Amino acid sequence: TAIYLLGRIEVVDSEQQRPLPTRHARRLLALLVMASSRGLERRRLAAALWPGTPESAALQSLRKALQHVRQALGTAAQHLH
């Protein structure tokens, strides 16, 4: 699995592009890759991706975006914690 962050953010697995359907899912993936060893708190991610949105709604949106990222990563998603 390859993750490209320059230009269009995308995941490629076995020569096949795996889509990230939303802008927030692409941004989330980029944030996760850049913070790989540090990890990020869910509340901070939600606030960064959905500023001005009530926390509960932002966290729900984050869960949906994480689901999109996991689907795009396939088996490589097991490394997300």
Side-chain angles (χ1 to χ4, degrees):
T1 301
I3 299 170
Y4 297 96
L5 299 178
L6 297 176
R8 183 182 170 133
I9 296 171
E10 62 185 3
V11 176
V12 177
D13 187 27
S14 301
E15 303 294 323
Q16 181 179 5
Q17 184 179 0
R18 303 191 60 140
L20 288 156
T22 67
R23 176 187 63 199
H24 285 105
R26 291 186 292 275
R27 289 180 180 172
L28 174 59
L29 177 61
L31 287 170
L32 292 171
V33 168
M34 290 186 294
S36 63
S37 63
R38 293 184 314 228
L40 295 169
E41 294 177 14
R42 287 178 183 251
R43 286 192 169 112
R44 290 184 68 191
L45 279 171
L49 292 168
W50 292 275
T53 301
E55 186 177 280
S56 61
L59 287 169
Q60 180 151 350
S61 295
L62 177 61
R63 283 190 288 276
K64 189 69 165 173
L66 280 168
Q67 180 182 25
H68 290 294
V69 169
R70 284 185 178 114
Q71 287 172 345
L73 291 175
T75 57
Q78 66 190 358
H79 300 290
L80 293 178
H81 301 284

